[in-house]
Amino acid sequence: MEKFLAENGDASIRDILKENDVDDLEVLASMTESDFEKLGIISFGKRRKLVLAIQKLKSIGQNHEPSEQQQGPCDVPVALAYEDAAGDGPSLPDAKRKSNIDLREALSNTFEGKVLCKHLDNGQTLSSKQRIMLVKIAVACLVEKYGLWPPSEQKTLLAKNIVNTWPSTKDTTPMMAGHIDWMKFSPPNPTTMKKHITYFKETFHYRRAFIANLDHSVTDVLDVFPRVQDVDALIAIDFSMMHGDLTADTFISKWSSFREKVMQVGRKEENVTQLVERFKMLTDVDTVCSRVDAVRYLFYNVPEGTHVEGAIEEIKEKGYRQPLIVTIGPPMKPTQFWICLDHIPVPGGSSVVESFDKLFKSFFVFGLDYPPVLMNFYEYFAAFVYEVSNASAVKPLVRTFASSVKAVE
C-alpha cells in the first residue's frame, strides 16, 4: 500500500486515505473516481492518476490469477450482467444454482440498504442513485468473500439472483440490453474503448429522447452517460449521428483557410464599422456587447497551476453563462482546455480549435440555447461553416458577413 501510494500519490492523498481507514490495497482497488472525490481529493488529475494506477494494478494481478479467474477482477459491477441474467448470455451448467451471497442480509445492515430493499420488494424500479447503491453493495460482498478477483461464475450467479429476486432490476430499456449501465460503470481503457463507442452509438435514439425531455438538465444527462466526460470522441459521435458524418470534422478541417479569410475581412475597417452600425439598428441594444465581452461568453482563463475545479467554482461565483471554454495557463498560450457544462468540466482537447469544435457541438448534443449576445455568431457557424442549419433562416446581417468571407480569394 505504502509503495503504491509513494509511486502514484502524494502526502495529502495518503493522509486523506488514512483518515478514512483506507489502509490496504484491496479496499483501495474497489474505489472509483467518485469515491476519491467524495473523500476530498479535489484535483481531477490526481483522481484520474489514481484510477489509472488501480486499473494497471488490477491488470497485473489478473495476469497472476488462476485460469478460473482470468476474466478479470471485479471492476465491472455484477448488476451489469443483466443481459446474461435475462437469458441472452451463456447459461450455467446448473441453471438452478444460486449465489452463496445473501445480498438481502447485506442490504439490511444499513438504513439506506433497508430502504432500498423495501423499494425493491414493492416491485419499484430503481433510480440512478439507487442502482449505484445496489451495485456498490453487491461488489463489496463479492470482494469481501472472494477477494479482489471473484470467480466469474460467482459474479454471474449473483447477477442472476438479483434479477430473479427483484425482477424490477432487469434492464428493460428497449434494444439496450444493459448497454447504458455497462457504459456507466465500466471505466474506459484500451480494452473496453471499442465496446464503449459501439454501445454509445447503439443508445443514440434513447439518449436523444432522454435529452428531449425538458425536465432533464445537462447534469442529468452526464449522470446517465458519464463517459462523455472521459471519452473524448462521444460528443462528436452524437453530433455526426444527428447531422451526418460529413459534419464530424468540418470546422477543424476548414479552420486554416477560414481563419485567414475572416482576418482579411476584419482588416477592412470600413466594412466592419458598417456591419456594427447595421447590427445596432437591427438588434435590441441590450443584446449588443463589445468584442471583449463577447470573448468572455466563449472563454474563461485561469493561471497556470489552477485546478479546473477551482476555475469552475469561480465561474459559479461570477455567474458566467455556460457552456463555455475554460483555459488554464497564459491567456495567449494556454496549456489545458476544458468545456464547462452545467459546472461540470469535460476535456476540450489539445487546442482552442478542438475546444471550440466541442463547445459548438455541445449546444446541439445537449439541446442548449445559444447565449443571446452571441446568437448571430453561433448562427453563422451553424449555417455557413458546419452547414447544419438553413442559411436562408439567419438574419440578413449574418448572410452579409458570410458573403464577405466567401468573397475573399
Side-chain angles (χ1 to χ4, degrees):
M1 178 78 170
E2 290 297 327
K3 180 180 179 181
F4 177 85
L5 291 177
E7 295 174 352
N8 302 285
D10 56 26
S12 63
I13 292 177
R14 290 195 293 272
D15 291 342
I16 290 173
L17 295 177
K18 185 176 181 180
E19 289 171 4
N20 289 275
D21 298 321
V22 180
D23 53 9
D24 62 66
L25 281 176
E26 192 169 66
V27 175
L28 182 65
S30 68
M31 297 176 68
T32 65
E33 187 172 333
S34 177
D35 293 329
F36 293 132
E37 185 175 12
K38 290 177 182 177
L39 291 181
I41 299 177
I42 299 175
S43 168
F44 174 83
K46 290 182 179 180
R47 295 199 305 268
R48 291 301 298 163
K49 184 178 179 181
L50 275 173
V51 170
L52 292 172
I54 287 172
Q55 291 174 2
K56 183 177 179 181
L57 179 68
K58 288 180 179 180
S59 177
I60 294 172
Q62 177 185 354
N63 291 334
H64 291 82
E65 288 297 307
S67 59
E68 178 189 26
Q69 301 176 13
Q70 282 300 312
Q71 292 188 20
C74 195
D75 55 347
V76 179
V78 293
L80 306 187
Y82 289 163
E83 53 212 83
D84 285 340
D88 298 327
S91 59
L92 295 172
D94 183 359
K96 295 183 179 180
R97 292 188 63 187
K98 294 183 178 180
S99 170
N100 53 15
I101 292 176
D102 191 341
L103 190 58
R104 184 184 292 276
E105 180 181 352
L107 289 171
S108 66
N109 290 331
T110 64
F111 173 76
E112 293 83 359
K114 290 178 181 178
V115 173
L116 178 60
C117 194
K118 183 178 180 180
H119 188 88
L120 289 168
D121 287 340
N122 290 333
Q124 296 174 281
T125 56
L126 299 177
S127 67
S128 295
K129 290 183 179 179
Q130 290 171 324
R131 188 178 291 269
I132 292 171
M133 183 189 300
L134 178 62
V135 167
K136 285 186 175 180
I137 294 174
V139 170
C141 289
L142 281 170
V143 171
E144 181 179 2
K145 190 170 185 66
Y146 297 102
L148 189 56
W149 292 273
S152 58
E153 181 185 50
Q154 287 301 321
K155 290 188 282 185
T156 304
L157 278 172
L158 183 55
K160 286 179 178 287
N161 286 337
I162 288 174
V163 174
N164 290 336
T165 304
W166 298 296
S168 62
T169 60
K170 180 179 178 181
D171 188 349
T172 57
T173 307
M175 306 301 290
M176 294 303 104
H179 291 8
I180 293 173
D181 272 350
W182 184 90
M183 289 188 292
K184 183 171 184 177
F185 296 106
S186 300
N189 57 56
T191 303
T192 62
M193 188 63 70
K194 184 177 180 180
K195 192 172 183 179
H196 270 294
I197 291 175
T198 298
Y199 279 9
F200 192 77
K201 290 180 178 179
E202 291 179 359
T203 56
F204 171 76
H205 294 293
Y206 171 86
R207 188 164 47 259
R208 298 321 313 160
F210 181 83
I211 291 173
N213 185 336
L214 297 180
D215 291 334
H216 293 127
S217 65
V218 174
T219 299
D220 294 325
V221 177
L222 292 177
D223 180 57
V224 178
F225 297 96
R227 298 286 75 85
V228 171
Q229 295 175 250
D230 48 28
V231 179
D232 183 64
L234 297 189
I235 288 179
I237 286 173
D238 252 13
F239 186 80
S240 64
M241 292 185 74
M242 292 172 70
H243 300 289
D245 290 338
L246 294 178
T247 66
D249 65 347
T250 300
F251 175 69
I252 295 176
S253 63
K254 291 182 176 180
W255 170 246
S256 295
S257 60
F258 168 74
R259 174 179 178 273
E260 184 58 34
K261 289 182 178 181
V262 170
M263 290 181 68
Q264 288 190 40
V265 171
R267 293 188 187 104
K268 300 177 182 178
E269 295 184 7
E270 183 180 355
N271 289 347
V272 173
T273 302
Q274 291 174 352
L275 286 174
V276 170
E277 291 303 317
R278 288 185 60 197
F279 181 64
K280 289 181 179 179
M281 289 188 293
L282 296 172
T283 313
D284 184 346
V285 70
D286 291 336
T287 66
V288 178
C289 65
S290 69
R291 182 185 61 163
V292 173
D293 289 335
V295 170
R296 288 173 180 164
Y297 275 85
L298 285 173
F299 298 97
Y300 188 84
N301 177 259
V302 292
E304 190 74 58
T306 305
H307 297 308
V308 66
E309 289 84 355
I312 297 296
E313 286 302 316
E314 290 184 16
I315 290 171
K316 283 183 182 179
E317 293 173 3
K318 295 181 179 180
Y320 274 57
R321 176 158 180 161
Q322 305 166 78
L324 50 71
I325 298 170
V326 177
T327 60
I328 299 177
M332 299 306 295
K333 199 173 182 180
T335 57
Q336 294 184 48
F337 305 88
W338 300 83
I339 306 298
C340 181
L341 293 170
D342 213 4
H343 299 122
I344 298 173
V346 175
S350 60
S351 67
V352 171
V353 176
E354 290 182 10
S355 299
F356 177 77
D357 182 60
K358 182 172 284 190
L359 173 70
F360 177 84
K361 291 172 179 177
S362 295
F363 284 100
F364 290 81
V365 168
F366 294 100
L368 304 174
D369 296 326
Y370 301 140
V373 295
L374 294 180
M375 183 69 71
N376 289 344
F377 173 80
Y378 279 114
E379 286 187 347
Y380 169 78
F381 280 94
F384 298 102
V385 179
Y386 289 89
E387 299 180 358
V388 294
S389 65
N390 189 348
S392 63
V394 301
K395 296 180 179 65
L397 181 71
V398 178
R399 292 201 298 273
T400 299
F401 178 76
S403 298
S404 300
V405 173
K406 189 175 181 180
V408 174
E409 295 296 334

